[in-house]
Amino acid sequence: MTPQRRVILEELKKVTSHPTADEIYEMVRRRLPHISLGTVYRNLEILSQCGMIQKLEPGGTQKHFDGMAENHYHFRCLGCGCIEDVSLGLLHDLEASVPELDKYEIIGHRLELIGYCPDCKKGRKPS
Amino acid sequence: MTPQRRVILEELKKVTSHPTADEIYEMVRRRLPHISLGTVYRNLEILSQCGMIQKLEPGGTQKHFDGMAENHYHFRCLGCGCIEDVSLGLLHDLEASVPELDKYEIIGHRLELIGYCPDCKKGRKPS
DNA sequence: TTATATGCAAATGATTTGCGTAGTC
DNA sequence: GACTACGCAAATCATTTGCATATAA
């Protein structure tokens, strides 16, 4: 736990927004003017690996597309990055159950199961 | 609906995988050897705007981070891209309800509500 | 001192865009 | 003829990485 890593963690805990790496860099730079953007990226990765923070968009840098337009859910493999359809009935009553959302306009939702696909599961130690 | 757009759509409908833009480019190129990658990107964007296909990772190109490590759900605004926490109880029984997942190792899940935040809702025509 | 992390800058790689041309209504 | 989409190539921009130095165990 280096000073840089500690400050990144503290600044991120301090806010309820969900900043990008760039924004975190700016926040941290007020306390550590010489920190580099690379260090911020490296530590964000480490902290999210440790489970101390969350990276909100997992998966790699490429976007995936789905020919099935109807809403349905997906499974994402942490091992190989593959994405598969999941036969799980849609959750219809989500929005109604959150009163604070009355000022929002909710269009829909996305649900993603995360884990290891059969192939990747085989290659892993039992957890 | 240009020939290129039609072929992109057809190829994407043909597979159950969830290819990246690059992979779709390769698939389409077998039928339209002179198509450009830019055209593929442009049409994927148009098709997903129309709702004819799905872009699986919405939001911009930047990743967001969350200082709260415990699992919880988020709302994402299609207008300004902001992300906010949602006070929605965790869904615990998701995995059990999908028998086909017994060969998988499910670690968890992500749920994201999508729509317009109060500020962006104001600036929009009623839909 | 031995390993790990940092700062800096350059490299990478997915995506976007400008522009001149081709196809369409 | 006006408009839109295309192919191509260059530009963009978030993220990653190589490397020499600094820090920590």
Side-chain angles (χ1 to χ4, degrees), chain A residues 2-3 21-22 37-38 41-42 45 55 61:
Chain A
T2 63
D22 251 324
L37 184 56
Y41 272 103
R42 272 185 289 236
E45 184 60 32
K55 189 195 287 189
T61 54

Side-chain angles (χ1 to χ4, degrees), chain B residues 91-109:
Chain B
L91 307 169
H92 293 293
D93 50 353
L94 276 179
E95 315 162 15
S97 58
V98 188
E100 77 194 39
L101 292 180
D102 53 0
K103 291 222 168 19
Y104 292 66
E105 180 177 345
I106 304 295
I107 303 285
H109 64 269

Side-chain angles (χ1 to χ4, degrees), chain B:
Chain B
M1 183 60 75
T2 63
Q4 289 89 341
R5 191 171 307 163
R6 187 189 325 281
V7 171
I8 290 171
L9 184 57
E10 285 173 6
E11 291 296 316
L12 192 49
K13 293 272 186 194
K14 201 182 282 180
V15 297
T16 62
S17 65
H18 301 78
T20 63
D22 252 324
E23 291 165 344
I24 293 166
Y25 174 55
E26 290 305 327
M27 291 157 57
V28 168
R29 211 139 65 116
R30 291 201 283 269
R31 290 173 58 188
L32 300 174
H34 295 295
I35 198 172
S36 79
L37 184 56
T39 298
V40 171
Y41 271 103
R42 270 185 288 239
N43 280 308
L44 286 174
E45 183 60 31
I46 290 169
L47 288 169
S48 65
Q49 293 283 343
C50 295
M52 305 184 70
I53 65 172
Q54 275 192 65
K55 190 195 287 189
L56 292 194
E57 292 91 3
T61 55
Q62 293 181 81
K63 293 186 174 168
H64 293 251
F65 295 85
D66 190 332
M68 189 171 6
E70 307 77 47
N71 191 14
H72 61 285
Y73 302 138
H74 293 107
F75 162 84
R76 181 187 296 269
C77 179
L78 294 174
C80 62
C82 74
I83 297 177
E84 302 189 10
D85 295 324
V86 170
S87 64
L88 179 61
L90 294 186
L91 307 169
H92 293 293
D93 50 353
L94 276 179
E95 315 162 15
S97 58
V98 188
E100 77 194 39
L101 292 180
D102 53 0
K103 291 222 168 19
Y104 292 66
E105 180 177 345
I106 304 295
I107 303 285
H109 64 269
R110 300 194 326 116
L111 173 62
E112 206 171 76
L113 296 181
I114 296 178
Y116 293 90
C117 71
D119 284 347
C120 289
K121 183 183 177 185
K122 270 186 254 167
R124 299 182 69 235
K125 319 261 179 310
S127 58

